[in-house]
Amino acid sequence: QVQLVESGGGLVQAGGSLRLSCAASGRTFSTYAMGWFRQAPGKEREFVAAISWSGGNTHYANSVGGRFTISRDNAKNTAYLQMNSLKPEDTAVYYCAATRTLSFATETYQYNYWGQGTQVTVSS
């Protein structure tokens, strides 16, 4: 089992950047595929980015490709989401998630563990 804690959210102007972190408990972090999702008010939770357990495979939603970068540091038990050129439509609660059942996943139902979320607000 793994526990996830997100940090790094906040208020930023359009065009700005933020880096989210997801710290995982336990000594088996390197065996989990990781993902970032977001949920805006009144909307369903949506996929943002995913990374395989080794970090060698990544995938992004079309809406964030070229602006966001997912990465991980298995030695620090931490996954990251670097967000650049932020837009007001990126405003949402961002969640990190982990799964061991797949080496790579992009759907919410494929993930077993979730963090509590961190708020990102982009002002225009």
Side-chain angles (χ1 to χ4, degrees):
Q1 198 169 12
V2 64
Q3 293 183 325
L4 306 173
V5 178
E6 302 97 334
S7 62
L11 174 64
V12 63
Q13 289 187 331
S17 298
L18 283 174
R19 187 176 83 155
L20 305 183
S21 298
C22 175
S25 65
R27 293 178 286 183
T28 59
F29 176 73
S30 62
T31 65
Y32 288 85
M34 300 296 296
W36 286 96
F37 292 77
R38 66 186 182 187
Q39 189 166 18
K43 295 187 177 181
E44 293 187 353
R45 192 168 298 187
E46 65 175 5
F47 169 74
V48 174
I51 189 167
S52 60
W53 63 268
S54 67
N57 193 4
T58 59
H59 185 66
Y60 299 91
N62 289 337
S63 58
V64 305
R67 299 188 298 123
F68 290 11
T69 302
I70 189 172
S71 62
R72 65 189 298 158
D73 185 338
N74 287 342
K76 295 183 178 180
N77 281 13
T78 303
Y80 304 97
L81 185 68
Q82 177 67 44
M83 306 186 295
N84 299 329
S85 302
L86 282 162
K87 304 176 181 180
E89 51 263 44
D90 295 318
T91 295
V93 177
Y94 283 70
Y95 299 88
C96 69
T99 180
R100 292 182 71 181
T101 57
L102 295 170
S103 61
F104 186 76
T106 61
E107 302 289 342
T108 56
Y109 71 87
Q110 295 172 320
Y111 285 89
N112 310 106
Y113 305 102
W114 293 83
Q116 83 290 347
T118 185
Q119 176 70 47
V120 172
T121 303
V122 184
S123 63
S124 58

